[in-house]
Amino acid sequence: MTPTGTAEAAVPCLALDIGATKVDVALVGVDGTLSSRRRLLVADAGDDLFAAILNAVAPLVREGSPGVVGVACAGPMSANGEDVSPLNIAQWRRFPLRARLHEALDLDVYIEGDARALALAEGRYGAARTLASYLSMVVSTGIGGGLVLNGRLVDGASLNAGHVGHLHVVDNGRICACGARGCLEAEASGTAIAATTGRPARDADAETRRRCAELVGRAVGTLGAVLDFTHCFVAGSVARGYGEAFFTTATASAREVARLEYCANFEVRPSALGGDGPLLGAALVGWRGLT
């Protein structure tokens, strides 16, 4: 079931997916096809990430004539992405992303949290097409989420709802970038795994992988019991890299804490969108802004 308000407008969209590790850009056609895709590594951008992003998108604007810009960006952020402060992008604190992009590209710009945008894409193109309520989640460098209930993306008071990475999962746990201790992101993200094991998350041993999946399952199962949904779709390099065992373990962990009758058969599944999900979500954000 497509979340309310995500119908495509009849113009190509310049889509940007801005995360802690990489920035992906592409042109997205009205049929959902991606073209002219490019990737920028945040670590290679130096002190001026915005200038590097403009260099990456300039050829797409010249060649593709997009009618709108849609951005999926790590958060938190103020309403409509006027100011963004991604926890894992230190050079951006209250960075005026929407205004800067509009000024540079002379196009309408619409911005949403990256995992929230992914939730739109999962409902339009992915595994949640038949569901009215679900959680879409990213387990990668950081951990984020977007929640759809009764066909609507849940916004919250400041339009930041869905930061599932900041659910508390470990008492007296590691300090999180948000300032709290024991958040899911501080314990199970790629950044946390690398910090605790001394090696990249992709090289984690079986016990570390199992713990990551169990903590994710515990968090989403608890949330499902509170908010009455039974499906969680997970993307991101950590979850995808850990394979089927991750989803089996996470599902079992979720079911241990989601024991109410309406939560029976809770499932944690991989996103059906692969690496295209964030850019498709960004495009839906752009089109949503025009409608």
Side-chain angles (χ1 to χ4, degrees), residues 37-253:
R37 187 167 181 167
R38 296 177 177 227
R39 171 167 291 182
L40 163 70
L41 297 179
V42 173
D44 294 340
D47 294 332
D48 196 342
L49 176 60
F50 184 75
I53 290 173
L54 289 185
N55 287 335
V57 303
L60 280 69
V61 174
R62 291 194 300 266
E63 300 164 10
S65 300
V68 67
V69 180
V71 183
C73 183
M77 61 184 64
S78 63
N80 304 315
E82 294 294 343
D83 297 311
V84 301
S85 301
L87 293 180
N88 295 309
I89 302 179
Q91 61 264 55
W92 280 5
R93 287 295 175 266
R94 299 193 62 82
F95 184 79
L97 181 60
R98 195 205 63 78
R100 292 286 300 275
L101 283 172
H102 175 69
E103 179 183 13
L105 301 176
D106 194 26
L107 289 166
D108 289 334
V109 178
Y110 300 96
I111 301 175
E112 182 60 272
D114 52 356
R116 287 169 49 79
L118 180 64
L120 297 178
E122 200 71 62
R124 176 64 181 87
Y125 301 109
R129 282 175 292 180
T130 63
L131 298 173
S133 299
Y134 59 91
L135 175 67
S136 184
M137 188 175 179
V138 176
V139 181
S140 188
T141 303
I143 294 178
L147 182 64
V148 173
L149 294 180
N150 300 323
R152 292 183 177 275
L153 182 67
V154 177
D155 288 331
S158 65
L159 308 185
N160 279 292
H163 279 278
V164 66
H166 301 285
L167 287 170
H168 180 81
V169 292
V170 175
D171 288 342
N172 300 314
R174 288 172 39 80
I175 189 74
C176 182
C178 75
R181 286 190 176 273
C183 293
L184 182 62
E185 182 167 294
E187 299 289 340
S189 67
T191 300
I193 291 170
T196 55
T197 66
R199 52 189 176 185
R202 65 177 178 273
D203 297 331
D205 59 25
E207 175 58 24
T208 300
R209 294 178 180 221
R210 181 198 61 76
R211 180 178 184 270
C212 172
E214 285 189 348
L215 291 176
V216 167
R218 185 185 307 166
V220 301
T222 299
L223 195 61
V226 172
L227 297 177
D228 190 10
F229 64 88
T230 58
H231 288 75
C232 174
F233 301 100
V234 187
S237 58
V238 172
R240 293 202 315 267
Y242 290 177
E244 184 59 33
F246 173 92
F247 296 96
T248 299
T249 301
T251 293
S253 179

